[in-house]
Amino acid sequence: MKIICIGRNYTDHIEELENERPEDPVIFLKPETSLVLKNQPFFIPPFSNDIHHEVEVLIRINKIGKHIQQKFSYKYYNEIGLGIDFTARDLQSKLKEKGLPWEKAKAFDGAAVVGDWINKSELPNVDELQFEMTKNNEVVQSASTSLMLWKVDEIIAYVSQFFTLKIGDIIFTGTPAGVGKVSENDILEGSLEGRKLFSIKVK
Ligand code: ZN
């Protein structure tokens, strides 16, 4: 499986990092080895002093597809979830400055947290989902998918022009404002429409 991530998909987050608003979705990948195994903590890697949390709504692909038309995107997923795109911000800033790829900052072991899945039939419309993450019981990120620049069905159509989507692939749909540094012993908990989907300790 592969993990396809969308960057800069919420205006307020683009502003907080002083990024340019992109003309097309920003895409990057994480390998399967970036997944944090179930019930395991997140270990701060030794090469970064500034690991940021980015809570994101996730889509799990349930059907193989390429060049998917936007009007058919909904047929390619049944489950929606929530996760964290951990980012070594210090390393990413250096790579960005040099115009280099972000993989070292985004695709390292442990950089992807995937919580529990909810069948989309149990949720409101995918473009109107409320989600939030707390750090040590304080809300740090809270948003609605209605604030996405590129909606889920557009993302699926767009990324499938470049990558064949396969069963089990996961799309990280981008983070809203409120990203921030994590420290040892932090507890990060995420919920979608009031249902807690992950709880992870930082070590
Ligand atoms: Zn992200």
Side-chain angles (χ1 to χ4, degrees), residues 38 58 80-82 114-118 192 196-198:
K38 270 256 175 290
L58 313 183
I80 299 174
L82 199 66
V114 173
D116 295 333
W117 296 98
I118 305 178
L192 179 68
K196 196 201 278 188
L197 298 187
F198 67 79

PDB file of all heavy atoms in Angstrom, residues 38 58 80-82 114-118 192 196-198:
ATOM      1  N   LYS A  38      -0.192  -0.253  15.454  1.00  0.00           N
ATOM      2  CA  LYS A  38      -1.303  -0.111  16.413  1.00  0.00           C
ATOM      3  C   LYS A  38      -0.810  -0.152  17.861  1.00  0.00           C
ATOM      4  O   LYS A  38      -0.005  -1.002  18.236  1.00  0.00           O
ATOM      5  CB  LYS A  38      -2.310  -1.253  16.232  1.00  0.00           C
ATOM      6  CG  LYS A  38      -3.398  -0.929  15.221  1.00  0.00           C
ATOM      7  CD  LYS A  38      -4.713  -0.581  15.937  1.00  0.00           C
ATOM      8  CE  LYS A  38      -5.809  -0.124  15.002  1.00  0.00           C
ATOM      9  NZ  LYS A  38      -5.677   1.162  14.361  1.00  0.00           N
ATOM     10  N   LEU A  58      -8.555  11.179   6.825  1.00  0.00           N
ATOM     11  CA  LEU A  58      -8.002  10.138   5.951  1.00  0.00           C
ATOM     12  C   LEU A  58      -9.106   9.445   5.160  1.00  0.00           C
ATOM     13  O   LEU A  58     -10.213   9.262   5.656  1.00  0.00           O
ATOM     14  CB  LEU A  58      -7.267   9.076   6.774  1.00  0.00           C
ATOM     15  CG  LEU A  58      -6.285   9.537   7.850  1.00  0.00           C
ATOM     16  CD1 LEU A  58      -5.630   8.308   8.490  1.00  0.00           C
ATOM     17  CD2 LEU A  58      -5.232  10.459   7.273  1.00  0.00           C
ATOM     18  N   ILE A  80     -13.657   6.400   6.244  1.00  0.00           N
ATOM     19  CA  ILE A  80     -13.028   7.689   6.509  1.00  0.00           C
ATOM     20  C   ILE A  80     -12.408   7.610   7.903  1.00  0.00           C
ATOM     21  O   ILE A  80     -12.980   6.995   8.810  1.00  0.00           O
ATOM     22  CB  ILE A  80     -14.086   8.820   6.434  1.00  0.00           C
ATOM     23  CG1 ILE A  80     -14.692   8.854   5.015  1.00  0.00           C
ATOM     24  CG2 ILE A  80     -13.475  10.173   6.800  1.00  0.00           C
ATOM     25  CD1 ILE A  80     -15.846   9.819   4.853  1.00  0.00           C
ATOM     26  N   GLY A  81     -11.244   8.195   8.033  1.00  0.00           N
ATOM     27  CA  GLY A  81     -10.571   8.121   9.327  1.00  0.00           C
ATOM     28  C   GLY A  81      -9.866   9.422   9.652  1.00  0.00           C
ATOM     29  O   GLY A  81     -10.110  10.471   9.040  1.00  0.00           O
ATOM     30  N   LEU A  82      -8.983   9.334  10.631  1.00  0.00           N
ATOM     31  CA  LEU A  82      -8.254  10.510  11.090  1.00  0.00           C
ATOM     32  C   LEU A  82      -6.849  10.051  11.473  1.00  0.00           C
ATOM     33  O   LEU A  82      -6.672   8.943  12.002  1.00  0.00           O
ATOM     34  CB  LEU A  82      -8.977  11.071  12.322  1.00  0.00           C
ATOM     35  CG  LEU A  82      -8.676  12.509  12.703  1.00  0.00           C
ATOM     36  CD1 LEU A  82      -9.197  13.475  11.627  1.00  0.00           C
ATOM     37  CD2 LEU A  82      -9.344  12.858  14.042  1.00  0.00           C
ATOM     38  N   VAL A 114      -2.334   6.330  11.767  1.00  0.00           N
ATOM     39  CA  VAL A 114      -3.649   6.060  11.165  1.00  0.00           C
ATOM     40  C   VAL A 114      -4.555   5.523  12.277  1.00  0.00           C
ATOM     41  O   VAL A 114      -4.258   4.503  12.882  1.00  0.00           O
ATOM     42  CB  VAL A 114      -3.511   5.042  10.013  1.00  0.00           C
ATOM     43  CG1 VAL A 114      -4.877   4.618   9.502  1.00  0.00           C
ATOM     44  CG2 VAL A 114      -2.687   5.648   8.874  1.00  0.00           C
ATOM     45  N   GLY A 115      -5.618   6.241  12.542  1.00  0.00           N
ATOM     46  CA  GLY A 115      -6.543   5.830  13.600  1.00  0.00           C
ATOM     47  C   GLY A 115      -7.571   4.821  13.106  1.00  0.00           C
ATOM     48  O   GLY A 115      -7.421   4.231  12.029  1.00  0.00           O
ATOM     49  N   ASP A 116      -8.618   4.649  13.893  1.00  0.00           N
ATOM     50  CA  ASP A 116      -9.692   3.722  13.505  1.00  0.00           C
ATOM     51  C   ASP A 116     -10.479   4.304  12.330  1.00  0.00           C
ATOM     52  O   ASP A 116     -10.479   5.512  12.108  1.00  0.00           O
ATOM     53  CB  ASP A 116     -10.652   3.512  14.691  1.00  0.00           C
ATOM     54  CG  ASP A 116      -9.952   2.821  15.854  1.00  0.00           C
ATOM     55  OD1 ASP A 116      -8.978   2.076  15.608  1.00  0.00           O
ATOM     56  OD2 ASP A 116     -10.383   3.040  17.005  1.00  0.00           O
ATOM     57  N   TRP A 117     -11.171   3.416  11.639  1.00  0.00           N
ATOM     58  CA  TRP A 117     -11.949   3.825  10.469  1.00  0.00           C
ATOM     59  C   TRP A 117     -13.434   3.833  10.779  1.00  0.00           C
ATOM     60  O   TRP A 117     -13.911   3.021  11.577  1.00  0.00           O
ATOM     61  CB  TRP A 117     -11.669   2.878   9.296  1.00  0.00           C
ATOM     62  CG  TRP A 117     -10.249   2.938   8.833  1.00  0.00           C
ATOM     63  CD1 TRP A 117      -9.236   2.082   9.163  1.00  0.00           C
ATOM     64  CD2 TRP A 117      -9.665   3.919   7.956  1.00  0.00           C
ATOM     65  NE1 TRP A 117      -8.059   2.475   8.557  1.00  0.00           N
ATOM     66  CE2 TRP A 117      -8.297   3.592   7.818  1.00  0.00           C
ATOM     67  CE3 TRP A 117     -10.163   5.047   7.291  1.00  0.00           C
ATOM     68  CZ2 TRP A 117      -7.416   4.343   7.029  1.00  0.00           C
ATOM     69  CZ3 TRP A 117      -9.294   5.795   6.512  1.00  0.00           C
ATOM     70  CH2 TRP A 117      -7.936   5.449   6.384  1.00  0.00           C
ATOM     71  N   ILE A 118     -14.160   4.717  10.115  1.00  0.00           N
ATOM     72  CA  ILE A 118     -15.620   4.761  10.240  1.00  0.00           C
ATOM     73  C   ILE A 118     -16.202   4.598   8.840  1.00  0.00           C
ATOM     74  O   ILE A 118     -15.716   5.227   7.886  1.00  0.00           O
ATOM     75  CB  ILE A 118     -16.107   6.118  10.811  1.00  0.00           C
ATOM     76  CG1 ILE A 118     -15.428   6.424  12.154  1.00  0.00           C
ATOM     77  CG2 ILE A 118     -17.618   6.115  10.971  1.00  0.00           C
ATOM     78  CD1 ILE A 118     -15.848   7.776  12.743  1.00  0.00           C
ATOM     79  N   LEU A 192     -13.253  12.548  15.196  1.00  0.00           N
ATOM     80  CA  LEU A 192     -13.974  12.931  13.974  1.00  0.00           C
ATOM     81  C   LEU A 192     -15.452  12.842  14.304  1.00  0.00           C
ATOM     82  O   LEU A 192     -15.918  11.790  14.761  1.00  0.00           O
ATOM     83  CB  LEU A 192     -13.600  11.948  12.854  1.00  0.00           C
ATOM     84  CG  LEU A 192     -14.250  12.124  11.489  1.00  0.00           C
ATOM     85  CD1 LEU A 192     -13.785  13.400  10.804  1.00  0.00           C
ATOM     86  CD2 LEU A 192     -13.932  10.924  10.594  1.00  0.00           C
ATOM     87  N   LYS A 196     -13.784   9.383  19.042  1.00  0.00           N
ATOM     88  CA  LYS A 196     -12.329   9.345  19.208  1.00  0.00           C
ATOM     89  C   LYS A 196     -11.737   8.229  18.334  1.00  0.00           C
ATOM     90  O   LYS A 196     -12.129   7.068  18.456  1.00  0.00           O
ATOM     91  CB  LYS A 196     -11.962   9.101  20.671  1.00  0.00           C
ATOM     92  CG  LYS A 196     -10.491   9.444  20.937  1.00  0.00           C
ATOM     93  CD  LYS A 196      -9.929   8.778  22.165  1.00  0.00           C
ATOM     94  CE  LYS A 196     -10.287   9.522  23.433  1.00  0.00           C
ATOM     95  NZ  LYS A 196      -9.554   8.936  24.610  1.00  0.00           N
ATOM     96  N   LEU A 197     -10.790   8.589  17.468  1.00  0.00           N
ATOM     97  CA  LEU A 197     -10.245   7.606  16.528  1.00  0.00           C
ATOM     98  C   LEU A 197      -8.785   7.250  16.792  1.00  0.00           C
ATOM     99  O   LEU A 197      -8.303   6.259  16.279  1.00  0.00           O
ATOM    100  CB  LEU A 197     -10.419   8.089  15.087  1.00  0.00           C
ATOM    101  CG  LEU A 197     -11.878   8.291  14.624  1.00  0.00           C
ATOM    102  CD1 LEU A 197     -11.931   8.606  13.146  1.00  0.00           C
ATOM    103  CD2 LEU A 197     -12.724   7.048  14.913  1.00  0.00           C
ATOM    104  N   PHE A 198      -8.096   8.096  17.539  1.00  0.00           N
ATOM    105  CA  PHE A 198      -6.738   7.691  17.925  1.00  0.00           C
ATOM    106  C   PHE A 198      -6.324   8.374  19.218  1.00  0.00           C
ATOM    107  O   PHE A 198      -6.856   9.421  19.594  1.00  0.00           O
ATOM    108  CB  PHE A 198      -5.694   7.950  16.826  1.00  0.00           C
ATOM    109  CG  PHE A 198      -5.434   9.408  16.514  1.00  0.00           C
ATOM    110  CD1 PHE A 198      -4.629  10.191  17.326  1.00  0.00           C
ATOM    111  CD2 PHE A 198      -5.980   9.990  15.377  1.00  0.00           C
ATOM    112  CE1 PHE A 198      -4.385  11.525  17.041  1.00  0.00           C
ATOM    113  CE2 PHE A 198      -5.749  11.335  15.072  1.00  0.00           C
ATOM    114  CZ  PHE A 198      -4.954  12.100  15.908  1.00  0.00           C
TER     115      PHE A 198
END
